[in-house]
Amino acid sequence: MVEPSDAVQIWLWIGTIGMALGALAFLFMAAREKPGNRWFHTITFFVAGIAAVAYLAMALKQGWFPILREGQDMAEPFYWARYVDWFFTTPLLLLDLALLAGATKEAIVWLLGLDVMMIATGFFAGVTASDIRWVWFIVSSVIFIWLLWVLLAEILGAARQRPPEVRAKFNQLAVLLAVLWTVYPILWLLGTEGFNVIGITGEVATFAIIDLIAKVGFGFLLLSNRKVLEAARPGAV
Ligand code: RET
């Protein structure tokens, strides 16, 4: 029977506590604002809050089962709770960016639709024991490249119409997102779901660190400048 090691457990608890503290901080930051001016705080709170729940489940040794993958000689834990987290939180992160850019509703639907397709097909890649998983990995990666294209063509175009301080914040966050999100498929390849180069501990540790940067770090960067949020407030949405 595969059991998560103590080192894996420590990283899952670091993820849980980091996400929970981030969610609390965003809640306090929201409380300083008037109702109607808390769009970004609310979205970002749920990003960290949902991740805290998923990490807590994994830290409590739930949300996983062992899989013996083709080409590997030992069963490894497959943490499906990760994908549940990503399925809900990655669209919310993109929504933050799209609202900051003042993107059209149509562009927002494209961006979020591609994102949930990317995570759903990524889940199939992770849950499949046979080499069919590579088909899913490729499908998910193609959708990811499409998503980045929509972000850089459509959403970046919309951001150009925004006041300079909003545009600058958008650019900063879009670069962070594009670079950081590209690490995920690479880490997937290096981890147990791909070629198993770094092992389960290396995988869980690195995911915990980049998850915290992609959610809590991103959230602080977004919410740190109240002038930007005031100027970018979605009116009729
Ligand atoms: C997978 C594997 C299949 C190919 C691709 C992937 C991309 C995942 C991404 C995840 C982003 C997660 C974030 C979490 C925040 O905490 C599913 C790993 C392309 C981009 C930002």
Side-chain angles (χ1 to χ4, degrees):
M1 184 62 192
V2 196
E3 268 292 308
S5 68
D6 289 348
V8 163
Q9 286 302 119
I10 288 172
W11 281 105
L12 292 171
W13 280 112
I14 291 175
T16 309
I17 293 164
M19 293 298 179
L21 290 177
L24 267 181
F26 300 146
L27 203 60
F28 281 120
M29 289 164 92
R32 294 187 316 184
E33 306 290 338
K34 288 192 206 68
N37 202 20
R38 300 193 281 216
W39 264 102
F40 294 101
H41 300 77
T42 310
I43 297 170
T44 313
F45 163 72
F46 281 110
V47 168
I50 293 170
V53 171
Y55 263 100
L56 178 62
M58 295 191 286
L60 294 173
K61 302 192 178 176
Q62 295 178 307
W64 69 280
F65 55 82
I67 295 192
L68 178 58
R69 295 190 174 83
E70 201 170 338
Q72 296 177 0
D73 41 40
M74 233 175 66
E76 298 282 0
F78 167 61
Y79 284 99
W80 54 263
R82 233 182 244 309
Y83 292 85
V84 177
D85 165 354
W86 294 349
F87 190 82
F88 294 104
T89 59
T90 54
L92 291 173
L93 286 165
L94 291 171
L95 185 62
D96 262 341
L97 257 192
L99 292 176
L100 193 64
T104 62
K105 290 184 180 128
E106 189 178 307
I108 294 179
V109 173
W110 269 105
L111 195 65
L112 272 55
L114 287 170
D115 182 68
V116 297
M117 274 173 77
M118 173 185 81
I119 301 297
T121 49
F123 169 78
F124 280 115
V127 80
T128 307
S130 76
D131 280 343
I132 300 283
R133 71 186 195 274
W134 296 110
V135 176
W136 288 114
F137 179 82
I138 292 167
V139 174
S140 182
S141 300
V142 170
I143 300 171
F144 179 47
I145 292 165
W146 189 355
L147 181 157
L148 285 180
W149 186 79
V150 171
L151 186 69
L152 296 177
E154 293 263 339
I155 314 287
L156 188 77
R160 289 217 182 90
Q161 322 294 321
R162 300 295 249 176
E165 70 270 22
V166 177
R167 201 164 62 216
K169 180 57 81 183
F170 173 87
N171 288 343
Q172 181 192 39
L173 290 172
V175 169
L176 175 75
L177 187 142
V179 172
L180 216 56
W181 286 33
T182 305
V183 178
Y184 283 86
I186 298 171
L187 185 56
W188 193 98
L189 283 176
L190 296 176
T192 53
E193 288 155 276
F195 297 110
N196 203 1
V197 181
I198 55 172
I200 186 72
T201 309
E203 174 187 330
V204 171
T206 324
F207 269 136
I209 294 165
I210 56 171
D211 277 351
L212 284 170
I213 304 173
K215 292 189 163 98
V216 179
F218 180 97
F220 274 116
L221 272 179
L222 172 67
L223 301 180
S224 61
N225 191 329
R226 294 168 83 180
K227 219 176 104 208
V228 166
L229 300 182
E230 181 73 37
R233 185 164 58 159
V237 182

